[in-house]
Amino acid sequence: MPLDLDSAMGDRLALAVVAQYRLATTKHLHQVIAPWVRIEQTRRRLVKLWKEGLVQRVTLPQAGRQRAWFATRYGVQVASEWPELRDFAPPRLIADPSAARLRVPHALAVTEVGVAFQQDARARGDICQPLDWIPEVHHPLGGGEAVTPDALLFYQEADGPMLRAFVEVDRATMGPERLAAKLNTYNRLHSYVPAPPPGRSRQAGSFRTEPDWRRRYPLFPRLLFVLDATGPAGIDNRIRALHAAAKALEAGSLLHDVPVLAAPMTDLLQHGPSAPFWRPVQDPAQRVGWTSRRPHQTTARQPAHDPPEPGPWTAQT
């Protein structure tokens, strides 16, 4: 029997997305990999991968028997060998459906945000491919510490620049102060330069003297806080905490170069990520689009090979 190449490529993409996203429902995967076909076709594809031992599933409580999927150890091993996942860091494996069930609320919220960005890009004619949403990318800070955003987003505007964003999805499981402390951690990442190995010095010119993040990105990714699982008063409290943390950061810090924005997840899902409801943490009275830039930023601060980003933001309602 001849190999059905279209089916094989569809199976490959489905497994790659399940492995990279950590946890996703059938609906999420359908919206990401094949929204132009009937969802039954996506269900059949996932069941086939399940029978082959590549993915596992858990039935969600109080969700109309909806299923969430995650990759098995075998599935991660297979997917991590593909070129499109060459830089893919294998996830901390979910041991079984019980372990998956305990990770559902936050993991599926992160996936939901990624799906929203991709659907918005598709509607706007921008580019955000299924594998342009990468959860849990490890960024070392030295001394055994690290920054691991909930997701890293790559997004190409139509006839515009490539945008990158660290995305933190907060479900109000920690207090506002602990959420705001993440801002200081990202500030440390922005300035972190690895120490040279013993016996070598930076002055000798044999060791990198620029921040470590430049090994990965031409510009430091913007930082987006998506706030969920709390009402308007809770959202305001958390944004006030982020604003206070922003005021406490020293001059010339992350906030001088990088847009840091916060928004309710309800607005993101209702209006799409590109709508102007994001609040700059330095001035939360404003409402801007997530692709906006700080007024004082100029293209002169950017590397010559990187295209300029959109112009200054202004208050929007």
Side-chain angles (χ1 to χ4, degrees):
M1 178 183 297
L3 178 64
D4 185 342
L5 293 179
D6 288 341
S7 177
M9 290 303 295
D11 294 348
R12 177 177 174 134
L13 177 59
L15 176 57
V17 170
V18 173
Q20 183 161 290
Y21 284 31
R22 278 47 171 175
L23 201 65
T25 66
T26 304
K27 180 181 178 182
H28 288 148
L29 293 166
H30 179 67
Q31 291 171 325
V32 168
I33 66 176
W36 53 87
V37 303
R38 293 172 59 86
I39 195 170
E40 287 76 12
Q41 184 171 327
T42 301
R43 289 195 182 100
R44 288 194 297 269
R45 171 163 283 131
L46 291 167
V47 169
K48 178 168 61 173
L49 296 175
W50 172 67
K51 289 180 177 178
E52 294 172 342
L54 295 164
V55 301
Q56 183 57 277
R57 60 192 181 184
V58 60
T59 301
L60 304 181
Q62 301 177 345
R65 306 293 294 173
Q66 187 175 192
R67 286 170 172 162
W69 301 85
F70 58 96
T72 63
R73 184 179 301 276
Y74 174 47
V76 169
Q77 178 184 348
V78 170
S80 62
E81 295 175 353
W82 298 335
E84 59 266 38
L85 295 182
R86 183 172 292 120
D87 298 324
F88 166 69
R92 295 186 296 273
L93 284 170
I94 302 174
D96 53 41
S98 295
R101 179 178 56 82
L102 298 175
R103 291 190 62 178
V104 158
H106 184 262
L108 288 188
V110 173
T111 298
E112 186 86 5
V113 173
V115 171
F117 273 100
Q118 291 177 51
Q119 289 184 307
D120 200 45
R122 193 177 298 130
R124 293 167 56 83
D126 296 340
I127 300 172
C128 185
Q129 301 291 359
L131 298 179
D132 287 338
W133 179 258
I134 312 176
E136 301 178 12
V137 179
H138 182 87
H139 296 77
L141 281 175
E145 295 185 81
V147 178
T148 305
D150 286 327
L152 169 65
L153 169 69
F154 289 91
Y155 191 101
Q156 176 74 52
E157 290 189 301
D159 300 321
M162 168 65 73
L163 303 175
R164 307 160 195 84
F166 293 134
V167 182
E168 291 284 350
V169 180
D170 174 67
R171 301 197 71 254
T173 55
M174 63 179 71
E177 293 79 10
R178 288 184 61 194
L179 169 67
K182 292 186 176 183
L183 197 56
N184 187 58
T185 305
Y186 279 99
N187 188 54
R188 289 172 58 199
L189 177 63
H190 183 253
S191 59
Y192 169 64
V193 178
R200 297 174 64 185
S201 67
R202 293 193 177 99
Q203 288 75 17
S206 58
F207 195 76
R208 296 174 66 94
T209 59
E210 60 185 8
D212 191 56
W213 59 264
R214 288 197 178 276
R215 294 186 301 109
R216 303 188 187 197
Y217 317 110
L219 293 175
F220 195 89
R222 59 195 61 215
L223 178 54
L224 307 178
F225 288 93
V226 179
L227 309 177
D228 191 23
T230 185
I235 296 291
D236 288 341
N237 285 339
R238 304 180 95 70
I239 291 179
R240 278 197 294 270
L242 287 167
H243 177 58
K247 289 174 64 176
L249 290 182
E250 66 275 11
S253 69
L254 165 80
L255 295 172
H256 183 80
D257 299 317
V258 180
V260 181
L261 311 169
M265 186 162 177
T266 52
D267 286 347
L268 183 145
L269 297 181
Q270 180 178 355
H271 304 294
S274 60
F277 52 74
W278 296 86
R279 306 187 202 180
V281 297
Q282 303 96 316
D283 184 7
Q286 291 199 63
R287 300 293 187 274
V288 303
W290 77 270
T291 62
S292 300
R293 297 178 57 242
R294 294 216 41 186
H296 64 262
Q297 288 176 296
T298 65
T299 56
R301 297 184 59 86
Q302 302 177 27
H305 63 274
D306 203 67
E309 297 190 45
W313 65 40
T314 56
Q316 302 178 45
T317 59

